[in-house]
Amino acid sequence: MSDTPDTPDARDPEPLDPHLWLEDVQGEAALDWVRAHNDRSQAELCARPEYADFKPRLLALMNARERIPYVSRVGPHFYNFWQDAEHVRGLWRRTTLASYRQAEPDWETVLDLDALGAAEGENWVWHGSDTLSPAVPGGEWRRCLVSLSRGGADATVVREFDLVDKRFLGAEEGGFMLPEAKSTASWLDADTLVVGTDFGPGSLTDSGYPRVIKRWRRGTPLSEAVTLHEGEASDVSAWVSVDDTPGFERVIHGRSVDFYTTEMWLVGADGALQHLDKPADASLGFHEHWAVMELRSDLVQGEVTHPAGSLLVASADDLLAGRPQWTALFTPTPTRSLGGSAWTRGHVLLNVLDQVANRVEELRLVDGQWQRRAVPLPGPGTLGIAALHDPHIPDDPLAEHYWVTYADFLTPDSLMLARAGTDDLEVLKQRPRYFDSDGMTAEQRFATSADGTQVPYFIVRPTGCRDDGDNPTLLYGYGGFEVSMQPWYSGGFGLAWYERGGVLVVANIRGGGEFGPSWHQAAVGEHKQRSYDDFIAVAEDLVRTQVTRPERLGIMGGSNGGLLVGAAMTQRPDLFGAVVCQVPLLDMRRYHRLLAGASWMAEYGDPDQPEQWAWIEKFSPYQNVQNVRTGVRYPRALFTTSTRDDRVHPGHARKMVAKLEALGHSVLYFENIEGGHGGAADNTQRARLQALEFAYLWAQLGA
């Protein structure tokens, strides 16, 4: 969609919104407004002693060599993307597993983004790669598609890269290149891509993602690519998935009807599309001869009902024949949900979330029955798993190995190598302790929401913390899109929050995925207010138990979490002393018309439908700001966003600040010119942004 404002709609409750001009992302008047607000906010916050202390220390943490260089396997190599003080935009580099096991691996630079940006006069930000495998005709672990973003936007330029010669292929050599767009591209063979991109008028959905999928052959102009599949303009996107597993090659076409429902077709040997029969809201994939399905709603199969949140498998052939017999690999309980799964050559690994703490189970098929065992791993905390098996490598020595990551609020991240079928666990990398956790505590508590639901939250307390109602406390939340909030280790919070006596609270409110699809679905659409009720209930519980008091209680959230704290601020301004609202949605009357906003209507509802606007209007922060003359006084909030955020429109934050100011409220605002939806494009920008936020919090909540 365009980044310029729409004409006011007569259906809008505020058809003459005086701040609509701030939606013109690159408009000179809007940017002048941004610069003026940036100058005022930075002049105030950068003068704080906390900012001068935090920024260099945060930057040193972000650039520290002791960080874990996480890697992904591509054939015989392990690739890592690395940013530090000397490589601000980053190095794409690789090594071997034997070298990676060493304290100081021997890295081979593949692509230097700082050098590339300087040579081309671009502010490139790394957005990943897709390598052509040997299983694809003509593939040899040599060619890949590299995605580069200008300034961190979701939209990327896609260019073909040679991993042996370490260079981009030019157009004169027939190299593939897609201009800037929110594109998807996958290899069909060494000379053919399947592509979804901006092909011109009508080729994108209302959400700004590809609507049309085409086959593009090397040496031909993109305009001659052949259409394979089209979605609807109202869809989120159309897409293609290419599985090149030897012996199980599959190409699947799909359309994401909304954020949670899809339709899928398998491409047959004759090129015909076979519709895949599945529940619309289920996630379906394939692993070799298995069809694998994760449910978002109950599935009745004969006399058996598989509840929402189950992970099922069936023979792929049986699915295609229309007679799948689904077997449950995981069935949820009221406290257990599926956090993810991975396949080694002979095992299925389940990452189970139990009371918001991970546990790993492995399954193996023996004589037609799935045998299950618990894997002894660190806990309780946050575990991640990723299989290393590469089916393109004959007799792969890592066929049963998988990565394990672990962290909690007081335990630094570690990276381990495990082997399915055994308890073998090799610690390869570990972050150092960035703060003294002796005497600190981290525990789980529960608050009672407005409808009686028990809502869990984590509370991390610094040494010497007493329940005297006077602790500076930061409450963080998200509560949307089935995203779970789990423990993390943060050196930044250590130096800028804990060591100064700050308490951190992380709320596991409805709308998230902590307890599976039902926990999410309880707070979508007409029930979205439950997310905000849960968050407010946690805040009230912190006051009731004398952890803190409103003047010392701050809240923070980004994206959907920005909407969360915006709603909490406008609904209960008496409860908070500080608000950090990051890359937020705020004007819910127009969110679906701005950038990717239309893709989220399955979460919030359609404001153009009067019966749905009736519930959206009640929580939309922008529509509920009160004039200071009514006696309502909001905490002096800090709003942050990015000019290059092409997912959540920066107009949300701009207009909210303008409206607050027009109604007599004091507010702070900072917009990073780069950064995309993450808010910053490199470590220097990240350190500055975080230092501004922490300086603001101490200004508002400090003694």
Side-chain angles (χ1 to χ4, degrees), residues 481-546:
F481 298 95
E482 211 169 325
V483 174
S484 301
M485 290 285 99
Q486 294 182 251
W488 70 84
Y489 183 85
S490 171
F493 271 92
L495 73 87
W497 196 245
Y498 304 143
E499 75 175 28
R500 289 174 174 253
V503 174
L504 174 66
V505 178
V506 178
N508 301 118
I509 62 179
R510 283 174 289 182
E514 289 86 348
F515 298 106
S518 62
W519 193 249
H520 167 245
Q521 293 163 9
V524 298
E526 62 183 311
H527 302 301
K528 192 64 195 170
Q529 178 61 38
R530 290 173 179 166
S531 293
Y532 317 132
D533 290 342
D534 290 359
F535 195 65
I536 290 168
V538 173
E540 291 176 329
D541 200 58
L542 295 170
V543 174
R544 181 186 65 81
T545 56
Q546 292 192 293

Side-chain angles (χ1 to χ4, degrees), residues 53-102:
D53 178 31
F54 294 157
K55 184 183 175 184
R57 296 174 65 197
L58 287 167
L59 183 57
L61 280 178
M62 295 175 188
N63 285 334
R65 292 179 56 84
E66 295 80 12
R67 289 172 293 144
I68 297 176
Y70 290 102
V71 292
S72 58
R73 188 183 187 190
V74 179
H77 289 103
F78 290 80
Y79 283 76
N80 163 258
F81 186 73
W82 182 262
Q83 292 176 308
D84 59 25
E86 288 75 39
H87 309 97
V88 176
R89 291 300 167 140
L91 291 177
W92 191 34
R93 56 188 190 172
R94 64 191 175 200
T95 190
T96 63
L97 181 59
S99 178
Y100 188 66
R101 279 188 159 108
Q102 300 171 9

Side-chain angles (χ1 to χ4, degrees), residues 323-344:
R323 53 174 188 273
Q325 295 298 309
W326 296 106
T327 298
L329 298 185
F330 175 81
T331 302
T333 71
T335 64
R336 285 165 52 96
S337 64
L338 187 63
S341 62
W343 293 70
T344 68

Side-chain angles (χ1 to χ4, degrees), residues 466-661:
R466 296 179 299 173
D467 291 331
D468 58 6
D470 201 42
N471 299 294
T473 301
L474 179 62
L475 171 59
Y476 187 87
Y478 187 78
F481 298 95
E482 211 169 325
V483 174
S484 301
M485 290 285 99
Q486 294 182 251
W488 70 84
Y489 183 85
S490 171
F493 271 92
L495 73 87
W497 196 245
Y498 304 143
E499 75 175 28
R500 289 174 174 253
V503 174
L504 174 66
V505 178
V506 178
N508 301 118
I509 62 179
R510 283 174 289 182
E514 289 86 348
F515 298 106
S518 62
W519 193 249
H520 167 245
Q521 293 163 9
V524 298
E526 62 183 311
H527 302 301
K528 192 64 195 170
Q529 178 61 38
R530 290 173 179 166
S531 293
Y532 317 132
D533 290 342
D534 290 359
F535 195 65
I536 290 168
V538 173
E540 291 176 329
D541 200 58
L542 295 170
V543 174
R544 181 186 65 81
T545 56
Q546 292 192 293
V547 171
T548 191
R549 53 189 166 88
E551 295 82 4
R552 300 275 258 171
L553 176 58
I555 53 177
M556 176 186 282
S559 191
N560 173 77
L563 171 60
L564 168 69
V565 299
M569 167 183 143
T570 51
Q571 292 179 23
R572 288 296 306 274
D574 60 303
L575 195 52
F576 310 109
V579 179
V580 180
C581 188
Q582 305 158 316
V583 290
L585 289 87
L586 293 166
D587 181 357
M588 300 305 289
R589 184 65 186 92
R590 290 179 53 75
Y591 84 93
H592 62 314
R593 302 180 198 169
L594 301 172
L595 299 175
S599 66
W600 308 320
M601 287 194 289
E603 181 79 12
Y604 305 118
D606 181 354
D608 287 340
Q609 302 299 318
E611 69 280 5
Q612 296 185 37
W613 173 241
W615 77 62
I616 298 170
E617 183 180 22
K618 293 177 182 178
F619 67 73
S620 178
Y622 189 65
Q623 274 68 40
N624 285 284
V625 176
Q626 300 295 311
N627 194 305
V628 71
R629 290 194 297 272
T630 66
V632 174
R633 293 191 177 275
Y634 300 110
R636 190 175 186 232
L638 169 63
F639 291 82
T640 68
T641 189
S642 165
T643 312
R644 290 295 291 163
D645 188 348
D646 56 352
R647 192 181 314 173
V648 176
H649 200 291
H652 285 277
R654 293 176 179 180
K655 294 197 306 177
M656 185 71 168
V657 168
K659 186 171 185 178
L660 283 164
E661 290 177 330

Side-chain angles (χ1 to χ4, degrees), residues 54-231:
F54 294 157
K55 184 183 175 184
R57 296 174 65 197
L58 287 167
L59 183 57
L61 280 178
M62 295 175 188
N63 285 334
R65 292 179 56 84
E66 295 80 12
R67 289 172 293 144
I68 297 176
Y70 290 102
V71 292
S72 58
R73 188 183 187 190
V74 179
H77 289 103
F78 290 80
Y79 283 76
N80 163 258
F81 186 73
W82 182 262
Q83 292 176 308
D84 59 25
E86 288 75 39
H87 309 97
V88 176
R89 291 300 167 140
L91 291 177
W92 191 34
R93 56 188 190 172
R94 64 191 175 200
T95 190
T96 63
L97 181 59
S99 178
Y100 188 66
R101 279 188 159 108
Q102 300 171 9
E104 294 290 338
D106 181 18
W107 294 103
E108 176 190 1
T109 298
V110 179
L111 179 62
D112 184 331
L113 254 68
D114 294 273
L116 179 69
E120 298 183 345
E122 294 278 9
N123 57 341
W124 292 128
V125 175
W126 179 256
H127 268 220
S129 65
D130 179 22
T131 304
L132 179 67
S133 79
V136 176
E140 53 175 321
W141 299 124
R142 179 165 191 156
R143 299 291 177 84
C144 72
L145 301 174
V146 167
S147 295
L148 300 171
S149 160
R150 291 186 173 96
D154 284 356
T156 61
V157 172
V158 179
R159 298 161 65 177
E160 187 174 3
F161 189 81
D162 188 311
L163 290 169
V164 176
D165 294 341
K166 302 177 190 175
R167 64 181 182 87
F168 288 102
L169 275 70
E172 68 282 357
E173 303 172 89
F176 289 115
M177 197 280 283
L178 289 172
E180 185 177 56
K182 294 182 179 180
S183 302
T184 62
S186 300
W187 297 96
L188 275 181
D189 59 49
D191 294 312
T192 313
L193 301 180
V194 280
V195 174
T197 190
D198 186 350
F199 294 108
S203 65
L204 300 179
T205 66
D206 294 340
S207 302
Y209 296 105
R211 187 189 67 79
V212 180
I213 300 297
K214 298 190 178 189
R215 182 178 62 241
W216 185 23
R217 296 200 182 278
R218 188 184 300 280
T220 64
L222 183 61
S223 59
E224 294 181 6
V226 177
T227 298
L228 299 175
H229 171 67
E230 295 188 37

Side-chain angles (χ1 to χ4, degrees), residues 304-463:
V304 177
T305 297
H306 297 290
S310 297
L311 181 69
L312 311 179
V313 295
S315 161
D317 290 342
D318 287 350
L319 174 67
L320 297 178
R323 53 174 188 273
Q325 295 298 309
W326 296 106
T327 298
L329 298 185
F330 175 81
T331 302
T333 71
T335 64
R336 285 165 52 96
S337 64
L338 187 63
S341 62
W343 293 70
T344 68
R345 182 172 56 193
H347 295 79
V348 184
L349 306 170
L350 303 181
N351 194 350
V352 178
L353 203 57
D354 190 352
Q355 289 287 23
V356 205
N358 291 111
R359 291 168 174 78
V360 173
E361 299 175 355
E362 63 177 37
L363 284 73
R364 184 183 178 201
L365 191 62
V366 179
D367 298 328
Q369 299 295 318
W370 290 97
Q371 295 184 350
R372 182 184 310 262
R373 82 177 190 103
V375 182
L377 293 172
T382 302
L383 287 164
I385 56 173
L388 270 70
H389 177 43
D390 190 327
H392 308 104
I393 299 177
D395 302 318
D396 180 13
L398 298 176
E400 292 298 340
H401 287 76
Y402 59 100
W403 297 126
V404 177
T405 58
Y406 179 79
D408 59 45
F409 288 115
L410 304 180
T411 305
D413 307 61
S414 57
L415 174 66
M416 297 159 278
L417 185 62
R419 189 172 187 274
T422 74
D423 293 340
D424 294 349
L425 193 65
E426 177 186 0
V427 179
L428 295 184
K429 308 288 178 186
Q430 181 141 17
R431 291 174 72 192
R433 292 188 178 273
Y434 288 124
F435 58 88
D436 183 2
S437 60
D438 289 346
M440 293 186 62
T441 60
E443 62 177 304
Q444 188 179 54
R445 295 183 178 182
F446 291 82
T448 302
S449 193
D451 62 0
T453 299
Q454 294 297 292
V455 180
Y457 65 90
F458 293 105
I459 178 169
V460 187
R461 296 154 67 95
T463 304

